[in-house]
Amino acid sequence: LRKDHKLIEKVLQALDATIKLLKDGKQIPEQILLPTIDFTQNFTDVCHHGKEEETLFPALAQTGMPTKMGPIARMLLEHQITKEIASKIEESSKIYITNGDSEELVHNIEQYIQHVTDHLYKENNRLFMMADSRLESYSDQIDKSLTETEKNKLNELGKTREYYENI
């Protein structure tokens, strides 16, 4: 999951560069914009969040961590917000591609970067530390399950991790 975060952070940097180019009046080709949008919707939401929601959170729940409140509930809410912002990026990118109006796209990308940056900080510095402590004796099982979940999610998308690493 930490490796996923590093990859997501690289894409956030690319999105930040995209914002700067758009604000400078530069055109972003569709073939560059669309894979990034695919990443926000499919790798981040489907694959990464899927691994957390289907493997990590249930494992933490089995150790007694509440799921209806506290860190798990907060992360689930934030995952939903991430998905909603990614959807707005997709919608505003279509407008941009159609007529060159980047205002809404810039706004949505800025919102996405801020939200996901804050979210990753919480996971890296709070949730994962709790998980390390609570799941230490199950780390091999958890790693195996995370790998299997990622493989299944990416197969459903018809993509590979390498595809997303090369965006």
Side-chain angles (χ1 to χ4, degrees), residues 4 10 21 49 59-60 68 72 74 83 110 116 133:
D4 289 358
K10 283 174 51 177
L21 292 170
H49 291 168
L60 287 170
K68 302 290 185 209
I72 294 174
R74 181 67 194 179
K83 185 177 194 166
E110 287 174 333
V116 173
S133 143

Side-chain angles (χ1 to χ4, degrees), residues 118-131:
D118 293 346
H119 178 77
L120 294 179
Y121 180 85
K122 290 173 197 171
E123 287 188 342
N124 288 337
N125 295 291
R126 294 189 186 120
L127 182 69
F128 290 174
M129 294 171 97
M130 287 185 253

Side-chain angles (χ1 to χ4, degrees), residues 4-151:
D4 289 358
H5 283 191
K6 293 291 184 198
L7 182 56
I8 293 167
E9 288 166 351
K10 283 174 51 177
V11 171
L12 293 177
Q13 290 172 353
L15 286 169
D16 190 52
T18 300
I19 289 171
K20 288 179 176 109
L21 292 170
L22 289 169
K23 285 182 174 181
D24 287 343
K26 305 284 192 254
Q27 292 292 98
I28 306 298
E30 190 174 340
Q31 62 267 30
I32 291 175
L33 191 57
L34 294 182
T36 308
I37 293 165
D38 172 67
F39 183 94
T40 65
Q41 293 181 315
N42 290 316
F43 184 83
T44 301
D45 185 49
V46 175
C47 183
H48 177 70
H49 291 168
K51 288 167 30 179
E52 291 175 342
E53 293 171 11
E54 294 176 23
T55 301
L56 179 63
F57 298 167
L60 287 170
Q62 287 181 339
T63 70
M65 186 178 279
T67 58
K68 302 290 185 209
M69 58 184 216
I72 294 174
R74 181 67 194 179
M75 294 301 103
L76 289 170
L77 172 65
E78 291 186 13
H79 287 179
Q80 184 58 39
I81 293 168
T82 303
K83 185 177 194 166
E84 290 167 7
I85 299 170
S87 182
K88 289 180 185 178
I89 291 173
E90 180 184 30
E91 292 168 24
S92 58
S93 70
K94 289 176 184 173
I95 293 167
Y96 171 73
I97 289 166
T98 302
N99 67 17
D101 182 1
S102 65
E103 185 177 341
E104 193 67 24
L105 179 59
V106 167
H107 170 75
N108 291 329
I109 293 173
E110 287 174 333
Q111 188 180 20
Y112 184 86
I113 290 169
Q114 186 61 56
H115 172 73
V116 173
T117 299
D118 293 346
H119 178 77
L120 294 179
Y121 180 85
K122 290 173 197 171
E123 287 188 342
N124 288 337
N125 295 291
R126 294 189 186 120
L127 182 69
F128 290 174
M129 294 171 97
M130 287 185 253
D132 288 344
S133 143
R134 288 176 174 254
L135 302 171
E136 184 178 9
S137 60
Y138 305 102
S139 64
D140 289 341
Q141 284 176 282
I142 301 291
D143 288 345
K144 183 179 177 184
S145 184
L146 288 168
T147 300
E148 188 63 29
T149 301
E150 177 178 290
K151 180 182 167 201

